Amino acid sequence: MIDSPTDQLRQEHELVLMVVEAMALEVTFIERTGRVHADRVAQMIDFTRNFTDGNHHTKEEDLLFPLLEERSASAGGTVSVLLSEHEAARDCIRAIEASLPDAERSEAARGVIAENLKLYAYVLPLHIGKEDTVLFPLSERLLNDPEQEMLAAEFARLEEESGAGGQQHYHELAHTLATPPGGA
Ligand SMILES: [Fe+2]
């Protein structure tokens, strides 16, 4: 039996949080050494763009959230807060990406990277906590079994379109990033 759609999203949160932890560790490294692990930060951007936004947030924004908004006004209020947090998180990633090419020679660029990694690592666990403890239980109450099965099928279709091999790659990347680099 396949996992319910909310259980799938919860499992994806575990991976996102592994990368968030790696981001927090990178902030400590930058502040301590004045250097940036540029390759690791590039991998964090890749993971966030293609897994967190490209897969996980797309399932939420295109499939789960509209369904809940249709069903319940109170879910609609929660969803609009969650959407604005997704957008704030994307802003952080855009700022990090824009500064990364200058990280080696510019202290200001390193500062922007550290600040935005820190903000992302602050916002995301709170955001994920809200989804896990408020939105997903509400979804489980609002959607009956056939609706949940339909949503799970839509999730599977979305993953197929984005390439299942890609998903495996990002699972592995989360585990790679969760391992602190030598010298961190
Ligand atoms: Fe989420």
Side-chain angles (χ1 to χ4, degrees):
M1 188 185 140
I2 55 167
D3 293 320
S4 77
T6 39
D7 279 344
Q8 286 184 47
L9 296 173
R10 282 190 184 93
Q11 286 161 20
E12 289 166 9
H13 282 167
E14 301 289 320
L15 292 175
V16 172
L17 288 173
M18 286 167 79
V19 176
V20 163
E21 235 173 87
M23 288 177 174
L25 198 67
E26 184 67 21
V27 172
T28 308
F29 177 78
I30 297 169
E31 289 177 348
R32 184 163 57 80
T33 66
R35 291 187 291 124
V36 174
H37 293 112
D39 289 351
R40 278 175 64 85
V41 174
Q43 286 177 318
M44 291 168 195
I45 295 170
D46 176 17
F47 179 91
T48 305
R49 281 270 161 77
N50 294 301
F51 182 83
T52 310
D53 276 324
N55 175 4
H56 178 80
H57 288 164
T58 304
K59 285 176 186 161
E60 292 175 345
E61 292 183 5
D62 292 0
L63 299 169
L64 177 67
F65 290 177
L67 198 56
L68 296 177
E69 280 175 311
E70 219 178 83
R71 288 303 172 81
S72 141
S74 77
T78 307
V79 161
S80 75
V81 173
L82 295 170
L83 283 172
S84 68
E85 289 168 351
H86 284 180
E87 204 39 59
R90 287 185 188 111
D91 285 344
C92 291
I93 298 301
R94 278 191 280 270
I96 294 163
E97 188 175 42
S99 293
L100 195 57
D102 300 323
E104 205 170 317
R105 58 182 170 77
S106 160
E107 194 183 334
R110 291 192 292 276
V112 170
I113 293 165
E115 277 312 300
N116 282 280
L117 285 173
K118 198 185 274 186
L119 186 58
Y120 193 97
Y122 174 74
V123 168
L124 256 280
L126 296 173
H127 170 81
I128 283 175
K130 258 182 256 176
E131 289 182 341
D132 283 349
T133 62
V134 179
L135 196 79
F136 295 169
L138 181 65
S139 314
E140 286 149 10
R141 285 199 300 278
L142 288 172
L143 305 177
N144 62 28
D145 286 352
E147 287 168 330
Q148 297 216 28
E149 276 165 30
M150 231 160 64
L151 192 58
E154 292 280 290
F155 281 7
R157 184 185 51 78
L158 193 141
E159 289 213 346
E160 220 167 276
E161 280 171 11
S162 67
Q167 298 314 310
Q168 184 56 32
H169 166 74
Y170 288 107
H171 280 236
E172 285 164 16
L173 184 55
H175 284 86
T176 302
L177 286 169
T179 309

